Amino acid sequence: MILGIKILSAIVFLLFIVRSIIMQKKIKRGWRITRFGRDSHKYSERFEGKWRSIEIDGEMYARGTPKHAIYLPTDWSNYPIWAQERASIIESRIREELKSPTYIYL
């Protein structure tokens, strides 16, 4: 029983360490893309010590490949000024992170 608790504690500790390392890499990289709700994604960028974000619409498919469709904006006027100015960079980062065949862009 005690051995099981020690093993479980070690696994939880290792998972915490791995997650911390991943988050540290994202902070160092200065941007990240995360799932937001069921279908959307959130692009976040670190600027002056704070994260600023925009939501990118998408759709999850029930079966087959691709698993997700990402609706990249053609008109960035509904987004904040900082995102409008960085539209091409944001789009290239999204495409870099969310790759085929799992994702398709519409």
Side-chain angles (χ1 to χ4, degrees):
M1 177 73 174
I2 293 175
L3 180 62
I5 292 172
K6 288 182 179 181
I7 291 173
L8 183 60
S9 298
I11 291 171
V12 169
F13 179 73
L14 286 174
L15 289 174
F16 176 76
I17 296 297
V18 168
R19 178 162 165 66
S20 297
I21 291 169
I22 291 170
M23 290 304 295
Q24 202 58 28
K25 283 183 180 180
K26 288 182 179 182
I27 288 170
K28 189 174 184 179
R29 182 171 70 170
W31 62 275
R32 63 184 176 205
I33 299 170
T34 54
R35 293 284 302 274
F36 186 67
R38 180 179 170 263
D39 295 327
S40 299
H41 286 78
K42 185 186 285 189
Y43 171 83
S44 303
E45 188 173 282
R46 198 162 169 83
F47 181 74
E48 296 181 353
K50 296 183 180 180
W51 289 98
R52 56 188 184 181
S53 303
I54 58 170
E55 183 180 344
I56 303 294
D57 291 329
E59 182 178 352
M60 185 188 312
Y61 294 148
R63 299 174 190 218
T65 305
K67 298 281 185 194
H68 304 276
I70 305 296
Y71 300 117
L72 288 175
T74 53
D75 177 21
W76 286 81
S77 63
N78 294 332
Y79 288 90
I81 297 295
W82 68 267
Q84 293 175 25
E85 294 169 350
R86 301 177 57 77
S88 62
I89 294 170
I90 292 170
E91 185 174 332
S92 67
R93 287 176 174 174
I94 290 171
R95 289 180 182 273
E96 176 186 327
E97 186 85 4
L98 309 177
K99 298 179 182 176
S100 302
T102 306
Y103 295 90
I104 189 170
Y105 296 93
L106 304 173

